[in-house]
Amino acid sequence: MGAAAGALALKMIIAAFSGMGAATICHPLDVIRVQMQTEGSTYSGPVDAAVGIYEKNGVKDGLYAGVSAAYLRQWLYGSCRIGIYAYLLENAQNANIKSGLDKNAIPLHSKMLMGLTSGGIGSFVGTPSELALVRMSNDNKLPVEQRRNYKGVTNCISRIAKEEGLPSLFTGAPATVLRACLLSACAMGITSELKMRLSGTGFFGEDGKLYGGVPLLFCATTISSFCANTVANPFDVVKSRMQNMVIEKDGSAQYKSMLDCFIQTIGNEGVLKLWSGFVPAFLKLAPYTVISLILTDKITKIVTGKEAL
């Protein structure tokens, strides 16, 4: 039991550091995504949004607004999503070996279930950091009199708990968890499946080891990221809107539930609004997934001598 807990903890720590590396590079795309998805957005596209955010607030307070929340998110959400998945996958592979089977003889639906499980756990644990990320990324877009002016992720979370109540830290949790379950099921499960199948084509060298396996993992994660983003983007829009909405002192808010947010968004802005911010979301998710999974795989190889995925 102790050895298993230690193995899981190690995988989660590696995943957290890998996620921080990816977040450092990809965070501006997260800011663009959030600002395009929330109410009041007048940007015509991701390039227009990037230019507008930069001209208005610069790099530190604009494109990197809320980066401290992004780092916290990696320790709460990213560590679980990738770490738990890698742990479950390794256990399934070891079980196959003990049964005399090919260690990779794991069906796609089982891998997706592992990703769904790890993503669901991580997203629930990380909802407060996700809420802080949305609030801090979007704050500069609001009129001056409506800005919350958070000083950092700790200040943001403590103020939400104090001003809006402790349960408010889990605002949008259903949408956050559903999004993460779908996203992680596709991103993790499909990546593992494609990595196995593409390695047998011969295009990526013997057993996919061409250039250390980076091209193989890059192709697998890019394809899986597109699938994941297509499925999860509507929940991402709803999550961003619910987490950014103002909760009045009497407890009233613009949206009563996740379903109400879906209905209002489609009724007022059309069904395609559910895929607003798709381009920056994909442009963020693809490199983030590529970088975080490559780092996880390589660090795990160095530390344990085994592949993570």
Side-chain angles (χ1 to χ4, degrees), residues 73 77 80-81 85 108-125 127 130 172-190 224 227-233 235-236 239 258 285:
R73 182 173 178 266
Y77 167 58
C80 292
R81 182 173 80 98
Y85 176 82
L108 174 60
H109 71 267
S110 294
K111 295 174 184 174
M112 294 184 73
L113 182 59
M114 294 176 199
L116 184 148
T117 301
S118 63
I121 294 171
S123 63
F124 182 76
V125 173
T127 294
E130 184 77 29
T176 301
V177 173
L178 281 172
R179 168 191 175 270
C181 285
L182 294 171
L183 194 74
S184 188
C186 292
M188 305 305 297
I190 294 177
S224 68
C227 296
N229 203 54
T230 301
V231 173
N233 205 83
F235 293 93
D236 203 16
K239 175 189 71 67
M258 179 179 70
L285 180 63

Side-chain angles (χ1 to χ4, degrees), residues 24 41 48 73 98 116 124 148-149 171 174 213 221 236 271:
T24 300
S41 175
D48 180 49
R73 182 173 178 266
K98 289 180 180 179
L116 184 148
F124 182 76
R148 300 172 174 106
N149 297 313
T171 299
T221 50
D236 203 16
V271 69

Side-chain angles (χ1 to χ4, degrees), residues 4 18 28 35 99 140 158 269:
S18 300
Q35 293 208 14
S99 300
N140 286 327
S158 62
E269 302 171 67

Side-chain angles (χ1 to χ4, degrees), residues 11-293:
K11 292 181 184 300
M12 291 177 69
I13 291 171
I14 292 173
F17 278 113
S18 300
M20 287 180 70
T24 300
I25 297 171
C26 302
H27 184 69
L29 292 165
D30 231 0
V31 174
I32 293 168
R33 171 187 64 82
V34 170
Q35 293 208 14
M36 288 184 67
Q37 290 177 339
T38 50
E39 292 86 354
S41 175
T42 58
Y43 299 123
S44 60
V47 175
D48 180 49
V51 172
I53 294 169
Y54 174 75
E55 290 180 344
K56 187 176 180 181
N57 296 295
V59 175
K60 179 177 178 292
D61 296 325
L63 293 172
Y64 274 88
V67 70
S68 57
Y71 289 150
L72 177 61
R73 182 173 178 266
Q74 296 311 314
W75 281 95
L76 297 178
Y77 167 58
S79 64
C80 292
R81 182 173 80 98
I82 299 177
I84 293 177
Y85 176 82
Y87 177 78
L88 293 175
L89 182 64
E90 184 178 54
N91 280 354
Q93 291 174 333
N94 289 337
N96 278 351
I97 293 173
K98 289 180 180 179
S99 300
L101 302 173
D102 179 356
K103 76 170 188 176
N104 292 318
I106 304 169
L108 174 60
H109 71 267
S110 294
K111 295 174 184 174
M112 294 184 73
L113 182 59
M114 294 176 199
L116 184 148
T117 301
S118 63
I121 294 171
S123 63
F124 182 76
V125 173
T127 294
S129 63
E130 184 77 29
L131 174 63
L133 175 62
V134 170
R135 292 277 187 96
M136 293 173 71
S137 298
N138 194 64
D139 204 44
N140 286 327
K141 194 186 82 173
L142 299 173
V144 176
E145 66 277 6
Q146 294 181 20
R147 291 179 187 174
R148 300 172 174 106
N149 297 313
Y150 299 121
K151 297 177 182 178
V153 63
T154 303
N155 175 253
C156 178
I157 291 176
S158 62
R159 277 183 55 190
I160 292 173
K162 182 179 179 181
E163 297 169 7
E164 303 172 32
L166 202 59
S168 293
L169 289 173
F170 289 87
T171 299
T176 301
V177 173
L178 281 172
R179 168 191 175 270
C181 285
L182 294 171
L183 194 74
S184 188
C186 292
M188 305 305 297
I190 294 177
T191 293
S192 291
E193 184 73 12
L194 286 175
K195 183 182 175 185
M196 180 189 69
R197 292 184 179 277
L198 291 175
S199 65
T201 64
F203 290 117
F204 299 94
E206 186 178 354
D207 295 326
K209 302 299 183 182
L210 180 68
Y211 297 116
V214 173
L216 170 63
L217 198 53
F218 176 84
C219 290
T221 50
T222 300
I223 295 170
S224 68
S225 295
F226 182 84
C227 296
N229 203 54
T230 301
V231 173
N233 205 83
F235 293 93
D236 203 16
V237 172
V238 170
K239 175 189 71 67
S240 294
R241 293 191 168 207
M242 292 191 70
Q243 292 180 329
N244 189 60
M245 68 181 176
V246 175
I247 299 177
E248 305 297 340
K249 292 182 179 180
D250 62 0
S252 62
Q254 181 178 358
Y255 305 115
K256 298 176 182 178
S257 65
M258 179 179 70
L259 180 60
D260 182 50
C261 185
F262 265 114
I263 293 172
Q264 285 197 46
T265 301
I266 295 173
N268 297 331
E269 302 171 67
V271 69
L272 291 180
K273 188 64 181 179
L274 295 175
W275 279 272
S276 64
F278 179 90
V279 173
F282 172 67
L283 291 179
K284 180 260 180 180
L285 180 63
Y288 165 79
T289 305
V290 169
I291 295 168
S292 60
L293 292 187

